[in-house]
Amino acid sequence: MAESETINTRASAARVLDQVVSGRRSLNDVLAPGLRNIADGRKRALIQELVYGTLRWYYQLDAMLQCLLNKPLKKRDSDLRCLLLSGLYQLTRMALPSHVAVNETVQAARILDKSWATGLVNAVLRGYQRNSVQLEADIGDSLVALYAHPGWLIERFRHDWPDDWEAILQAGNQRPPLSLRVNRRQITRDDYLTLLQDEGIGAAPLAHTLDGIKVEVPVPVNALPGFDEGLVSVQDAAAQQAAGLLELAPGLHVLDACAAPGGKTAHILETEPDLASITAVDVDERRLRLVEDNLERLGLTARVLHADAAEPDSWCDSHSYDRILLDVPCSATGVIRRHPDIKLLRRPADIGSLVSRQAQLLSAMWSLLPAGGMLLYTTCSVLADENERRIGVFLEDNPDAVEQEISASWGRPCANGRQILPGDDDMDGFYFACMRKRF
Ligand SMILES: C[S@@+](CC[C@H](N)C(=O)[O-])C[C@H]1O[C@@H](n2cnc3c(N)ncnc32)[C@H](O)[C@@H]1O
């Protein structure tokens, strides 16, 4: 039988969702295998839409589902629960004829081997259609349902950003733009814009960047002209600020301490072709291979090292890095619009352990920096504990560190460092702090 006849998109999406929701797996890890045997591009796109959309609105859809079910589903029916959530997503947020959404979702219950539940799926979805206005009013009092974020995260945003927390939550629920970084070693931004135009892909220069382009309607990367040949990479405008802050110059030695998948390593090399050296370190061997793949695609070269940046004695015997980029592992609360699974996977206790790792990495990397050298600390978080408070504590503990003020057209100054909030000029949330070591 042809693949298109055998693949049921709703059932496939429910299985992927179940691995995230119940299996607590990262969407990055489960989506690609879930799509592997599906050749039909439209089916792949529909599964992605169902998965991303359901995760983006999970907390709202879940509140509705709880009102619509007479009794909770059994744990073993977690795939069915995901199917119901994605059914509600289709009815609430997708421009599909509602009878198609209901019928296809009911059919998918059979594919999941839950024929007994077809009546239940039908009743829940039809129940939503009959009572949607009342249902939306009933859940409207809950901030968790209204903003579709977990309560603990809403509280943290509210505490750290009393004037901006609602905008942060709303930005987290938007679809992200497709932002590109042109490889200026190979082509100018204007010439690449012309290539896009020739392919009928609408695009414009990305604000606050020298190399960035915003594509009007996202397309798969393999539809981008010259992607395989390294003319362009995918990178948000916020992440594109790091290379510019490093004050790169010919002859400098640069260390990118948490480098994978290599977006910033590559941008550094594209920006300054005459560095004396660049070393890209990461503790995750699998992710480090992505650095190698990206560099190869872009025609760039770096020393790529599998090592723990928190233990530099085991791999580094010199103190000769003029610049260190420390793009630490973080809560990723600034990039929720790109990774909606973060809302389900991150737990309050994670923040404390991330902050300890960040402190360890910062202290280890500072020990490698010679007098006069610069360290750029970055996160894709909006939480003050990982950002301005972390740097505040570090500056207090290290009198040889001097903060270098970042004046820029983007973001907002903090007590220490500079923050871009998600949605500011349509960028991801990102934090930057620049420190020099005293002579
Ligand atoms: C935010 S990501 C880096 C993104 C990367 N700079 C880019 O622009 O593509 C953080 C990285 O830190 C790495 N990491 C975490 N702990 C580390 C450690 N102790 N030593 C080195 N790398 C580490 C993770 O494997 C992850 O790849």
Side-chain angles (χ1 to χ4, degrees):
M1 206 184 295
E3 175 243 55
S4 59
E5 292 167 51
T6 56
I7 299 294
N8 181 293
T9 46
R10 271 88 180 164
S12 299
R15 288 193 190 104
V16 171
L17 282 165
D18 192 26
Q19 291 183 70
V20 177
V21 174
S22 315
R24 305 195 54 73
R25 308 266 316 274
S26 139
L27 184 52
N28 270 350
D29 290 344
V30 294
L31 185 58
L35 295 176
R36 190 167 292 140
N37 296 322
I38 305 174
D40 181 338
R42 279 170 312 177
K43 289 197 168 199
R44 293 166 67 89
L46 178 55
I47 293 170
Q48 287 198 45
E49 170 64 25
L50 290 170
V51 168
Y52 272 91
T54 304
L55 291 174
R56 189 163 284 136
W57 293 103
Y58 176 87
Y59 288 93
Q60 189 171 92
L61 301 168
D62 188 44
M64 285 180 188
L65 183 59
Q66 285 179 40
C67 296
L68 288 162
L69 284 171
N70 293 331
K71 56 178 186 181
L73 292 168
K74 297 202 168 74
K75 215 173 165 188
R76 65 168 181 261
D77 295 322
S78 55
D79 53 351
L80 184 65
R81 187 165 159 273
C82 289
L83 179 69
L84 284 164
L85 291 169
S86 75
L88 289 172
Y89 172 67
Q90 293 166 63
L91 292 177
T92 51
R93 308 225 165 235
M94 279 179 78
L96 277 177
S98 51
H99 69 275
V100 172
V102 174
N103 292 344
E104 293 291 324
T105 308
V106 168
Q107 286 313 315
R110 294 187 210 283
I111 309 295
L112 292 177
D113 236 356
K114 307 240 154 128
S115 297
W116 60 266
T118 50
L120 173 72
V121 174
N122 192 50
V124 164
L125 298 184
R126 300 247 180 249
Y128 169 79
Q129 287 180 298
R130 271 196 311 277
N131 299 314
S132 60
V133 175
Q134 184 58 45
L135 202 55
E136 277 161 28
D138 287 350
I139 64 167
D141 287 343
S142 150
L143 287 180
V144 170
L146 188 63
Y147 290 116
H149 277 65
W152 70 272
L153 206 48
I154 295 176
E155 280 319 306
R156 289 205 74 134
F157 290 165
R158 218 172 163 163
H159 178 266
D160 288 355
W161 298 99
D163 297 330
D164 302 286
W165 63 277
E166 285 172 292
I168 294 173
L169 293 166
Q170 279 157 354
N173 290 335
Q174 300 302 309
R175 288 165 193 264
L178 174 60
S179 305
L180 306 178
R181 186 192 75 240
V182 173
N183 180 356
R184 64 165 96 158
R185 286 224 211 168
Q186 296 206 30
I187 189 169
T188 65
R189 173 158 74 177
D190 283 350
D191 285 349
Y192 194 75
L193 279 166
T194 307
L195 284 186
L196 287 173
Q197 204 179 10
D198 292 347
E199 292 293 320
I201 299 174
L206 194 51
H208 309 295
T209 69
L210 294 174
D211 307 304
I213 286 180
K214 179 174 172 178
V215 177
E216 274 165 23
V217 180
V219 294
V221 287
N222 53 17
L224 294 168
F227 182 83
D228 288 341
E229 292 72 38
L231 297 194
V232 78
S233 300
V234 173
Q235 192 177 47
D236 190 79
Q240 291 187 42
Q241 304 309 325
L245 293 174
L246 282 166
E247 298 179 8
L248 299 168
L252 294 185
H253 293 275
V254 178
L255 173 64
D256 186 352
C258 291
K264 297 185 190 70
T265 316
H267 195 200
I268 290 169
L269 282 159
E270 289 165 10
T271 305
E272 180 46 75
D274 294 322
L275 293 174
S277 74
I278 179 160
T279 306
V281 168
D282 205 281
V283 77
D284 183 330
E285 205 165 8
R286 190 173 55 109
R287 283 172 62 85
L288 206 58
R289 277 198 288 279
L290 300 176
V291 180
E292 282 162 347
D293 293 348
N294 276 322
L295 292 176
E296 192 183 334
R297 182 180 63 81
L298 293 162
L300 303 167
T301 317
R303 179 176 170 236
V304 177
L305 198 63
H306 177 219
D308 183 347
E311 304 279 347
D313 290 348
S314 62
W315 54 269
C316 181
D317 53 10
S318 77
H319 288 237
S320 57
Y321 295 113
D322 306 290
R323 302 284 185 268
I324 296 179
L325 170 60
L326 182 55
D327 190 21
V328 286
C330 71
S331 62
T333 41
V335 291
I336 285 175
R337 63 181 187 168
R338 293 193 188 278
H339 304 284
D341 52 329
I342 289 170
K343 294 193 270 192
L344 283 94
L345 300 181
R346 203 66 76 232
R347 293 269 164 89
D350 297 343
I351 308 302
S353 35
L354 283 165
V355 168
S356 309
R357 275 169 84 192
Q358 291 156 0
Q360 256 181 336
L361 284 163
L362 196 45
S363 151
M365 287 302 97
W366 192 251
S367 74
L368 283 190
L369 197 70
M374 180 211 278
L375 185 147
L376 175 63
Y377 173 92
T378 60
T379 74
C380 56
S381 164
V382 297
L383 301 182
D385 278 352
E386 298 179 273
N387 296 346
E388 61 178 306
R389 276 203 281 276
R390 170 96 313 282
I391 295 303
V393 169
F394 179 79
L395 289 168
E396 254 178 53
D397 293 349
N398 292 273
D400 60 347
V402 189
E403 190 187 352
Q404 190 167 311
E405 194 193 328
I406 299 172
S407 42
S409 59
W410 46 262
R412 50 192 87 198
C414 307
N416 302 107
R418 199 169 180 93
Q419 178 82 54
I420 301 172
L421 289 182
D424 281 356
D425 293 320
D426 207 13
M427 289 192 268
D428 285 346
F430 242 86
Y431 172 81
F432 304 85
C434 259
M435 289 167 290
R436 286 251 179 213
K437 195 175 253 188
R438 281 183 214 280
F439 281 100

